[in-house]
Amino acid sequence: MSAPTTTTAPATPPGATTTGDGRRRVRPTRASSAPGVSAGRTGGGRARGALLGLIAWVVGLLFFAPVAWMVLTSLHSEPSAATNPPSLFAPLTLDGYANFFGSNSGASPWPPLINSASASIVSTLLVLCLALPAAYALSIRPVKKWSDVMFFFLSTKMLPMVAGLLPIYLIAKQVGALDSVGLLIVLYTSMNLPIAVWMLRSFLSEIPVEILEAAALDGASLLSIFRRVIVPISGPGLAATALICFIFSWNELLFASVLTGTQAITAPVFLTGFVTSQGLFLAKVCAAAVAVSFPVLVAGFAAQDKLVQGLSLGAVK
Amino acid sequence: MTATVEAPAPHEPRPAAPGFRTPRKDAAALARAGAWARRAPLLPALIFVIAVTQVPFVITIIVSFISWNSLYPNDVAFGGLANYVNVFTDANMRMSVLTTIVLTVVVVLVSLVLGLVVALLLDRQFVGRGIVRTIMIAPFLVVPVAAALVWKHALFNPEYGLFNGALTWFFGLFGADAPQPDWITNNPLMAVEAALIWQWTPFMMLILLAGLQSRPLDVIEAAKVDGASTWQVFRFMTLPHMRRYLELAALLGSIYIVQNFDAVFTITSGGLGTANLPYTIYQQFFQAHDYGAASAAGVIVVIGTIAIATFALRSVSSLLKEENR
């Protein structure tokens, strides 16, 4: 009796992944990752370990200090924010935020914040809709020259945006699309599509072929495969992509400042009004910086692992 | 009865995906239809990107051959290579190319090294490791303009910034007068670099940390058992493994930092020799209104970037090979 031949891969031990050429690589779990390797098991090793841990804390706090200072200053009153030496323990107040959000001086920041939110969210959704099929066409059922296409997408990211700024400005002016959120949405979508395609391709290539073949054998249509197999399995990857696209759209300054006037200015453009200093305004500037960064800070902290996956274009899982 | 599933013979085309109805024609037509079925999902994204990025670039190339200053709309004429000559002979433009290169190289290298150091520190277990990792990410998450504003006003400002305030406090402990340097005016490029390094080190750190955590620990343990010192393990095992991640981090960082506009615009407004290429081109469009010269500069920037990118993309191709399907 001949042994049945199957197409399933030999069972891999838990935690192992197969690289492209079939090698098996055991990925260490978090619990086993450090102690046995770097920290010695002797008393001297433990002391060295504690010292390195302390250094790590110091470095982390040093990097965090400007952010902490930004938040602290935003909660001080103007006079106590601008003292030299700095008064760390001055009474806390929400005056800076009241000044920033209130209408006593200058424009209200709500329209720019809303513009930023709508431009970022809509462009992220659009990017996902366009990039997911493209990633499918580059990973699961690849076109012949998929790596050339990938290089092309990455190369559009490398071309400095300023090079295309003038034609876009002129075309938008002709079409009457200047100073509109729609134009920003289109631009942000094209700005983020290469990143999204790269990331999603990497995540989709992790889906086991057997599941897709099984679904196809069971008679699922293409749309059904997407809905029931691809999206659930690559859910975290989709989230990582969406997070990165949202962050980059929210942060974008150059196109927004050039192509908008009064109606469609975004939050970063609104911040450029604070570039020149006018009298006592430090608490207000810090409040502005915190308020504008708030959505991105929250999103990034909430999804740190996704952030790593996103930043490395999915090359790092 | 055992069921056998065989992989299709290599020379046959793969069966068409469900949902695409292919007519029963000869093999060539089937293959063509299959190829189009594979291309179809790619087309919307590809067309969108081409339309929004390549078409404007072609227009930029065309405008670069026209001498066109929007302040003199009646003087638009075909200028040949005059704009390009202008760009190469313009001291400002050459200065800004140099500034861009210096800025990018310094920021990428320093943040890469710092990121590696921090990643090595964070790779170990210690009390509160998760917290330190979380707060290390914060600089990258602050909106770049906001971060530049904070650096300019709340940190660098000679009268009430944190740096000079800390100096005052520190020297005050000894009853001495503190030096109160004007950080931005004295070292403008370094001020911009400091702000950028601060923002980008977490980015490098995250990628390198992920690389460190994917090392095969059993092999390293074996090496230690065999008597390898920490330095030897680092040099002969960790670094080669990290090479891929270092290249990726450097490539991605360079792509973004070459195009950096926010920090230069906010901290120095391009003055004091810190104008990099994006800022200079922005200036030429919207202050000098010389569209022809700015377009020529843009084309040159693109050509330069492509030259560097072609070289850099070779290293990225190693990333693609590993995930080849």
Side-chain angles (χ1 to χ4, degrees):
Chain A
M1 190 82 96
S2 61
T5 57
T6 65
T7 53
T8 55
T12 55
T17 55
T18 44
T19 55
D21 55 7
R23 278 183 297 128
R24 228 174 290 149
R25 187 179 72 207
V26 177
R27 180 163 297 150
T29 59
R30 275 201 186 277
S32 69
S33 74
V37 180
S38 353
R41 292 175 187 84
T42 64
R46 270 205 300 275
R48 197 187 84 167
L51 179 64
L52 287 178
L54 186 64
I55 294 179
W57 265 99
V58 168
V59 172
L61 286 173
L62 275 179
F63 268 92
F64 188 65
V67 178
W69 181 243
M70 175 176 81
V71 174
L72 188 62
T73 309
S74 72
L75 292 171
H76 282 164
S77 66
E78 290 289 2
S80 51
T83 58
N84 184 352
S87 48
L88 286 176
F89 301 108
L92 301 179
T93 161
L94 286 179
D95 277 352
Y97 290 96
N99 270 339
F100 175 62
F101 284 107
S103 50
N104 26 353
S105 60
S108 157
W110 284 113
L113 285 170
I114 295 177
N115 286 337
S116 269
S118 49
S120 305
I121 294 177
V122 174
S123 78
T124 300
L125 290 175
L126 198 52
V127 164
L128 285 180
C129 289
L130 287 175
L132 195 54
Y136 175 84
L138 290 170
S139 64
I140 295 183
R141 301 191 66 230
V143 299
K144 274 215 189 83
K145 303 210 186 111
W146 65 274
S147 72
D148 290 341
V149 176
M150 297 293 297
F151 280 165
F152 168 72
F153 271 118
L154 192 61
S155 73
T156 63
K157 196 74 200 128
M158 289 189 183
L159 305 186
M161 303 204 298
V162 268
L165 190 52
L166 174 68
I168 294 178
Y169 178 79
L170 294 175
I171 295 176
K173 199 165 164 192
Q174 288 288 65
V175 173
L178 276 184
D179 205 13
S180 74
V181 178
L183 177 65
L184 290 179
I185 291 177
V186 167
L187 287 177
Y188 292 169
T189 305
S190 86
M191 176 177 90
N192 287 324
L193 256 182
I195 307 173
V197 168
W198 263 71
M199 288 177 59
L200 286 178
R201 192 206 74 88
S202 145
F203 291 122
L204 287 189
S205 65
E206 293 270 300
I207 298 180
V209 184
E210 296 78 26
I211 296 186
L212 293 167
E213 284 183 0
L217 280 174
D218 283 345
S221 71
L222 186 60
L223 200 56
S224 201
I225 291 185
F226 258 102
R227 223 162 34 92
R228 298 207 189 150
V229 178
I230 294 183
V231 171
I233 294 187
S234 59
L238 285 176
T241 311
L243 178 65
I244 288 289
C245 292
F246 177 80
I247 291 180
F248 284 146
S249 303
W250 183 275
N251 288 351
E252 204 280 327
L253 174 67
L254 180 56
F255 276 121
S257 70
V258 163
L259 296 169
T260 64
T262 51
Q263 301 279 2
I265 63 174
T266 58
V269 179
F270 186 74
L271 275 187
T272 59
F274 290 96
V275 169
T276 56
S277 40
Q278 326 125 18
L280 281 181
F281 81 137
L282 196 55
K284 188 173 170 189
V285 162
C286 289
V290 171
V292 167
S293 306
F294 191 71
V296 178
L297 277 169
V298 165
F301 277 140
Q304 290 177 44
D305 294 328
K306 308 268 181 306
L307 196 61
V308 185
Q309 292 177 356
L311 288 177
S312 55
L313 299 186
V316 170
K317 304 287 183 304
Chain B
M1 267 299 238
T2 53
T4 61
V5 178
E6 290 170 5
H11 61 274
E12 287 168 15
R14 284 184 65 160
F20 288 95
R21 317 233 186 290
T22 53
R24 304 278 170 217
K25 288 185 188 167
D26 51 82
L30 201 65
R32 262 202 313 275
W36 272 109
R38 287 174 180 237
R39 278 182 215 136
L42 179 59
L43 290 179
L46 201 54
I47 293 176
F48 191 94
V49 166
I50 291 180
V52 182
T53 63
Q54 308 302 303
V55 168
F57 182 54
V58 166
I59 298 180
T60 300
I61 297 182
I62 296 175
V63 172
S64 71
F65 289 112
I66 300 175
S67 83
W68 177 10
N69 188 319
S70 75
L71 294 176
Y72 306 100
N74 297 324
D75 273 351
V76 178
F78 182 71
L81 291 178
N83 285 324
Y84 287 95
V85 171
N86 210 354
V87 167
F88 282 119
T89 55
D90 184 5
N92 273 342
M93 194 58 76
R94 288 203 301 266
M95 195 52 214
S96 94
V97 168
L98 191 62
T99 307
T100 310
I101 295 177
V102 169
L103 187 68
T104 307
V105 169
V106 169
V107 172
V108 168
L109 280 183
V110 175
S111 59
L112 201 56
V113 168
L114 273 183
L116 185 59
V117 168
V118 180
L120 286 170
L121 283 172
L122 283 181
D123 188 34
R124 341 173 34 261
Q125 288 289 350
F126 59 88
V127 173
R129 170 195 186 192
I131 303 179
V132 178
R133 198 185 95 146
T134 304
I135 66 176
M136 268 300 306
I137 300 180
F140 187 70
L141 293 177
V142 179
V143 175
V145 187
L149 270 181
V150 169
W151 274 80
K152 179 179 183 184
H153 293 306
L155 297 180
F156 280 141
N157 187 297
E159 285 158 24
Y160 45 75
L162 182 61
F163 290 159
N164 282 0
L167 282 177
T168 309
W169 170 81
F170 184 69
F171 278 78
L173 291 179
F174 309 109
D177 268 340
Q180 302 272 278
D182 187 348
W183 302 92
I184 298 184
T185 325
N186 294 347
N187 306 292
L189 195 57
M190 277 176 40
V192 174
E193 284 165 3
L196 283 175
I197 291 171
W198 176 77
Q199 268 227 297
W200 285 91
T201 301
F203 172 86
M204 306 291 187
M205 186 271 292
L206 283 178
I207 296 184
L208 296 176
L209 183 60
L212 283 176
Q213 289 180 338
S214 71
R215 282 179 303 175
L217 281 184
D218 44 357
V219 187
I220 294 187
E221 284 259 17
K224 289 211 155 206
V225 164
D226 284 346
S229 73
T230 314
W231 171 248
Q232 281 173 323
V233 167
F234 179 73
R235 189 165 153 226
F236 295 111
M237 304 186 74
T238 305
L239 271 189
H241 172 84
M242 292 298 295
R243 192 185 138 179
R244 205 184 114 194
Y245 296 91
L246 285 167
E247 286 175 355
L248 175 67
L251 173 65
L252 291 178
S254 309
I255 293 178
Y256 286 116
I257 294 172
V258 157
Q259 306 188 24
N260 177 270
F261 175 76
D262 308 26
V264 171
F265 178 81
T266 309
I267 297 182
T268 57
S269 294
L272 302 171
T274 59
N276 65 350
L277 273 173
Y279 186 81
T280 307
I281 296 180
Y282 165 85
Q283 254 186 334
Q284 290 216 307
F285 278 153
F286 296 99
Q287 291 166 18
H289 291 280
D290 192 342
Y291 293 166
S295 299
V299 170
I300 292 178
V301 166
V302 168
I303 293 178
T305 315
I306 289 182
I308 300 175
T310 314
F311 162 73
L313 279 179
R314 294 290 160 247
S315 65
V316 173
S317 67
S318 68
L319 291 170
L320 289 180
K321 281 198 197 90
E322 181 147 332
E323 299 187 85
N324 207 350
R325 271 190 148 225

